[in-house]
Amino acid sequence: LIAGDLAYGDTDVRFKEDDESIDYFFEQIQPFARKTVLMPTYGNHERHQSINRWNARFAIPPGMVEPESGIFFSFSVGSVRFISIAAVKCHGGLRNNALRWVRKELEAAKNDKSVKWTIPYFHVSPFASGKSHPSNIRLRRQLLGMFHQYGVRVVLNAHDQNYERTHPVFPADTPPSK
């Protein structure tokens, strides 16, 4: 799983075109990428580039396309259902159609007896201690209750590009992480 900000073509002066930064990213990961499957969710830097240029380089399952943020999709590996959510706005939430799609995917996973774990992953974090990328409170309010309702126990994010964990968190109005 890779959760966004894969390349910084929108801010890296070494690259004149988006494709140059995307190619550079894949050249760097080629030694291990050719031996494994990579399933992305995109971040704010990919959103500033063309999402279609990224999608052309990954074999992702069909999903729901949200023009403003990207593609949402899900897939299973064994008894784990992964849900890629295109949450790329630092302070904004998801649109209603995206929230309906997420709820539908969570419900389907909960009703599927072969699924033991449901793991949503997306870029912007509802809980973060970083000052440059603080918690996205709106996203927290939109998703936390839904995650709790459908038994989600693990969520992966990458906007801060570091490791953080919290104790179980509920309700949605929990104060920001410290």
Side-chain angles (χ1 to χ4, degrees):
L1 302 176
I2 46 180
D5 285 357
L6 310 179
Y8 291 78
D10 59 330
T11 59
D12 192 328
V13 296
R14 294 177 296 171
F15 308 111
K16 292 184 175 95
E17 301 291 329
D18 287 345
D19 283 328
E20 291 177 42
S21 67
I22 296 169
D23 289 344
Y24 185 69
F25 168 77
F26 282 103
E27 288 165 9
Q28 289 179 5
I29 67 167
Q30 186 178 17
F32 73 86
R34 67 176 152 210
K35 299 175 189 172
T36 189
V37 175
L38 297 173
M39 299 303 281
T41 192
Y42 300 121
N44 51 300
H45 289 277
E46 290 82 34
R47 191 187 81 170
H48 293 299
Q49 297 172 324
S50 170
I51 293 291
N52 291 333
R53 288 181 171 144
W54 284 98
N55 286 341
R57 291 168 165 89
F58 287 106
I60 57 176
M64 184 199 77
V65 175
E66 170 59 53
E68 199 168 292
S69 52
I71 188 165
F72 295 67
F73 62 91
S74 61
F75 62 97
S76 293
V77 176
S79 61
V80 181
R81 184 73 171 170
F82 294 95
I83 302 174
S84 174
I85 300 171
V88 299
K89 295 180 183 175
C90 294
H91 304 289
L94 298 175
R95 292 180 178 206
N96 288 335
N97 62 329
L99 290 169
R100 283 190 297 274
W101 184 90
V102 170
R103 182 176 296 282
K104 184 178 134 208
E105 290 296 317
L106 290 168
E107 187 171 346
K110 186 174 185 177
N111 292 332
D112 184 339
K113 300 300 179 209
S114 70
V115 174
K116 304 295 181 221
W117 286 85
T118 301
I119 301 178
Y121 68 110
F122 47 99
H123 186 62
V124 174
S125 178
F127 294 92
S129 60
K131 300 220 183 300
S132 62
H133 299 119
S135 301
N136 183 320
I137 304 301
R138 185 165 178 208
L139 199 58
R140 180 189 303 177
R141 288 186 178 131
Q142 288 180 318
L143 295 175
L144 189 62
M146 203 182 312
F147 289 166
H148 183 73
Q149 176 184 354
Y150 291 103
V152 171
R153 293 178 285 180
V154 174
V155 177
L156 303 175
N157 309 112
H159 195 42
D160 279 315
Q161 294 132 7
N162 63 13
Y163 175 79
E164 294 184 65
R165 69 178 287 279
T166 66
H167 295 285
V169 182
F170 194 77
D173 60 354
T174 302
S177 305
K178 295 188 183 200

